[in-house]
Amino acid sequence: MHQMAIHADRMDKDRFKHTSRGLTTGRGYELERRAIKAGIAQAESYLKTACADRWLHWKVNLLGSFIRFSCAVMFLWEIEGMDPVLMGLALYLSWQFSDKALDTLLG
């Protein structure tokens, strides 16, 4: 699981603890509607962030797949003129592109 998802999960658990403790106080001051509106607003912002995060993952993985495929095709065209060590290094780095790009963007 990615670090951002772990942080969001931990944050949601803490928020639930605080919400359940303040339930009687909110009812005593008749603040239910305000609490419900705030909860819905937080849920909507979390869903927007989660959707954007998934979209970014999908796009970066698609770009990483394209880079891997391009490297492999280039090596197959020029297989006799290339150094095998450089081929292996380039393929290894192209496989690492998606993870490193996501860590840089989200990290």
Side-chain angles (χ1 to χ4, degrees), residues 25-106:
T25 306
R27 284 186 182 159
Y29 289 110
E30 297 178 357
L31 298 173
E32 291 102 349
R33 289 198 187 277
R34 181 175 156 203
I36 289 171
K37 286 180 184 178
I40 289 173
Q42 288 175 354
E44 285 177 354
S45 69
Y46 176 75
L47 286 175
K48 287 177 186 175
T49 304
C51 289
D53 188 40
R54 297 290 178 222
W55 180 82
L56 182 65
H57 277 269
W58 189 79
K59 290 291 185 180
V60 170
N61 282 334
L62 185 68
L63 180 64
S65 297
F66 178 72
I67 290 173
R68 284 181 224 132
F69 179 75
S70 300
C71 271
V73 168
M74 284 177 19
F75 293 146
L76 289 177
W77 279 344
E78 298 291 331
I79 199 160
E80 293 176 7
M82 296 286 282
D83 184 22
V85 174
L86 291 178
M87 264 196 263
L89 179 64
L91 282 175
Y92 172 75
L93 291 175
S94 67
W95 276 100
Q96 297 296 318
F97 172 78
S98 296
D99 292 333
K100 299 300 179 190
L102 283 173
D103 285 345
T104 302
L105 290 172
L106 300 175

